[in-house]
């Protein structure tokens, strides 16, 4: 069996940079902003600089990565066999450096609205990468452990490593596998939504949207925005959701279902995604290459494999329009948008049927 290749590095999914020149595929600068959206001068309650403890831990991990190739050189055979492993480590090191720079900029007073889409995506992803891969790197650095750790890494790269170490094919395959797990929970979330429809005329608008989903279609952006009031207070605000509803919602966003901090994790995830949405609206989708569009779609709950660039852009335009026209207390609506906008998407259904 050939060893997996982690050497290639041309975008998150390895697809070349393709410009989307069509005016139809750009976000118009006139996308309306929520009236209560914070100004550039207002500090974000979600995208914040590192606390002193976090800054200390990240700096120590960065220092550890700087000398990681020297550690592996102590084991000549492993060093020769795993040059490609070092490439992933160096890429991770560069991401950590950029992460710390962004944190320092935020601490110095830079507004979150001044961060680019790429900076926000990196600031979102790097802490998750560190938590996942740090134990593997630390164990491999210990004397005598590389002889059993490298075979484990070879057999379980998805569980033990992060995307910096994966080949182009692995990046796509693992993203599709993660999306498949999310899609399995879509129906559960939809059932919970249906159970919360108010009786009588008060729930007619909400019921109309759910009837569309149940009949195999999707509501329009205007119809989704028309029900946002249900998600800012009872019955569908984040604080009003049942335990099982929160668990299913965590699963469709790839979040931990551990009982402590479910609402906090979802609220932070939704807020972070909204900031990335606003950055995409500012910069335009035409600036994104194919791999970036696919990553954006995976993050927001639709399988982009098999979709054309135009289809991805149009779907993201709908998502961004909703995100740009909700207030901070409607994060629950954004968290349910994978179901509202992609429940019947053929690219999702093909994963589970």
């Amino acid at each position: 069996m050939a060893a997996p290749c982690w050497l290639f590095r041309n975008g998150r999914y390895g697809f070349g940079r393709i410009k989307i020149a069509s005016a139809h595929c750009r976000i118009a600068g006139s996308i309306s902003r929520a009236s209560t959206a914070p100004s550039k001068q207002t500090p974000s309650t979600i995208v914040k600089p590192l606390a002193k403890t976090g800054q200390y831990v990240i700096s120590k991990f960065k220092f550890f990565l700087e000398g990681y190739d020297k550690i592996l050189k102590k084991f000549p055979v492993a060093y020769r066999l795993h040059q490609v492993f070092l490439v992933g480590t160096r890429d991770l090191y560069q991401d950590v450096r950029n992460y710390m720079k962004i944190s320092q900029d935020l601490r110095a007073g830079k507004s979150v609205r001044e961060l680019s889409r790429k900076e926000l995506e990196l600031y979102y992803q790097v802490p998750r990468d560190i938590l996942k891969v740090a134990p593997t790197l630390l164990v491999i650095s210990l004397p005598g452990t590389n002889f059993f750790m490298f075979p484990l890494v070879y057999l379980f790269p998805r569980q033990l490593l992060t995307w910096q170490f994966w080949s182009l094919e692995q990046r796509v395959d693992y993203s599709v596998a993660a999306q498949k797990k999310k899609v399995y929970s879509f129906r559960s979330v939809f059932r919970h939504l249906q159970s919360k429809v108010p009786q009588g005329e008060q729930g007619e608008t909400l019921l109309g949207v759910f009837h569309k989903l149940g009949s195999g279609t999707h509501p329009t952006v205007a119809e989704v925005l028309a029900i946002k009031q249900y998600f800012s207070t009872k019955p569908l605000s984040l604080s009003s959701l049942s335990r099982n509803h929160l668990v299913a919602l965590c699963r469709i966003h790839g979040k931990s279902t551990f009982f402590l901090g479910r609402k906090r994790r979802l609220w932070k995830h939704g807020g972070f995604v909204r900031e990335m949405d606003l950055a995409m609206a500012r910069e335009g989708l035409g600036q994104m290459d194919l791999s970036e569009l696919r990553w954006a779609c995976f993050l927001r709950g639709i399988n982009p494999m098999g979709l054309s660039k135009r289809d991805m852009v149009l779907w993201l335009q709908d998502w961004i329009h909703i995100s740009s026209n909700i207030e901070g207390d409607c994060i629950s609506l954004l968290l349910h948008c994978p179901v509202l906008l992609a429940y019947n998407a053929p690219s999702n259904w093909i994963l589970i049927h």
Side-chain angles (χ1 to χ4, degrees):
M1 181 182 295
C5 175
W6 298 301
L7 185 58
F8 300 102
R9 183 149 171 87
N10 182 19
R12 188 174 298 268
Y13 295 105
F15 298 93
R17 190 169 187 82
I18 300 175
K19 295 291 184 179
I20 302 173
S22 171
H24 184 65
C25 296
R26 292 180 180 272
I27 294 290
S30 60
I31 288 181
S32 57
R33 298 292 190 271
S35 58
T36 58
S39 66
K40 286 188 175 182
Q41 288 72 34
T42 305
S44 172
T45 58
I46 296 174
V47 185
K48 299 183 291 187
L50 284 170
K52 289 185 178 180
T53 303
Q55 190 172 6
Y56 174 80
V57 172
I58 296 294
S59 64
K60 290 299 182 183
F61 184 70
K62 173 175 168 285
F63 178 76
F64 169 74
L65 290 176
E66 287 175 348
Y68 198 74
D69 57 342
K70 296 179 182 178
I71 294 174
L72 285 185
K73 284 179 181 178
K74 296 178 182 179
F75 312 101
V77 175
Y79 183 73
R80 288 195 303 270
L81 292 176
H82 298 280
Q83 286 287 327
V84 289
F85 189 81
L86 294 177
V87 173
T89 305
R90 290 165 184 166
D91 290 340
L92 177 62
Y93 169 73
Q94 186 61 44
D95 287 344
V96 171
R97 283 188 60 186
N98 293 334
Y99 177 84
M100 294 187 67
K101 181 180 183 302
I102 295 170
S103 177
Q104 291 168 359
D105 290 342
L106 291 172
R107 187 178 300 279
K110 187 174 184 178
S111 169
V112 64
R113 298 294 165 85
E114 296 175 320
L115 296 178
S116 68
R117 171 189 55 81
K118 289 185 177 181
E119 288 175 324
L120 283 166
E121 289 176 355
L122 185 141
Y123 205 66
Y124 169 83
Q125 188 62 37
V126 166
R128 291 153 182 80
D129 291 340
I130 292 175
L131 287 175
K132 183 178 181 181
V133 80
T136 301
L137 298 182
L138 290 171
V139 172
I140 289 178
S141 68
L142 299 176
T145 60
N146 59 311
F147 298 105
F148 68 87
M149 279 302 297
F150 279 126
L152 287 177
V153 167
Y154 173 81
L155 292 172
F156 306 104
R158 179 185 172 191
Q159 290 78 12
L160 297 177
L161 298 175
T162 53
W163 70 272
Q164 291 93 345
F165 300 84
W166 297 335
S167 69
L168 310 184
E169 183 180 0
Q170 286 173 323
R171 292 175 187 179
V172 173
D173 290 345
Y174 297 161
S175 296
V176 171
Q179 178 65 16
K180 183 176 181 179
K181 291 178 65 176
K182 295 177 183 179
V183 173
Y184 272 118
S185 295
F186 275 27
R187 180 169 295 178
S188 177
V189 172
F190 184 40
R191 294 289 179 260
H192 285 296
L193 287 173
Q194 289 177 309
S195 68
K196 295 292 185 69
V197 176
Q199 299 294 324
E201 295 182 0
Q202 187 180 1
E204 285 184 359
T205 307
L206 199 59
L207 198 59
V209 168
F210 294 162
H211 279 164
K212 277 197 168 185
L213 290 173
S215 64
T217 60
H218 292 106
T220 64
V221 170
E223 288 171 332
V224 172
L225 289 173
I227 62 172
K228 66 180 181 179
Q229 70 270 16
Y230 295 100
F231 292 84
S232 60
T233 57
K234 290 184 178 181
L236 294 172
S237 66
L238 199 56
S239 60
S240 305
L241 303 182
S242 66
R243 179 182 64 85
N244 290 336
H245 194 159
L246 288 171
V247 168
L249 203 57
C250 283
R251 286 175 177 158
I252 72 171
H253 290 288
K255 302 287 109 180
S256 169
T257 58
F258 185 64
F259 72 96
L260 292 178
R262 287 195 198 105
K263 292 179 183 178
R264 169 71 181 179
R265 287 192 294 274
L266 287 169
W267 175 78
K268 187 172 182 179
H269 175 77
F272 229 121
V273 170
R274 183 167 179 260
E275 291 296 340
M276 287 187 269
D277 293 339
L278 297 178
M280 290 165 67
R282 291 192 298 269
E283 299 174 11
L285 295 181
Q287 303 300 317
M288 299 173 65
D289 62 31
L290 186 59
S291 65
E292 292 169 336
L293 287 171
R294 285 181 168 172
W295 186 85
C297 287
F298 275 127
L299 180 66
R300 289 160 179 81
I302 188 170
N303 174 25
M305 307 311 296
L307 298 182
S308 67
K309 297 188 298 291
R310 181 176 181 275
D311 290 338
M312 285 187 282
V313 169
L314 290 176
W315 191 87
L316 287 171
Q317 282 180 340
D318 287 345
W319 178 289
I320 292 170
H321 188 76
I322 293 171
S323 183
S324 300
N325 286 279
I326 62 172
E327 296 76 29
D329 59 354
C330 282
I331 287 296
S332 180
L333 175 62
L334 195 65
L335 291 170
H336 285 88
C337 275
V339 172
L340 297 173
L341 298 181
Y343 182 76
N344 295 305
S347 62
N348 276 345
W349 275 96
I350 200 172
L351 296 176
I352 58 176
H353 292 288

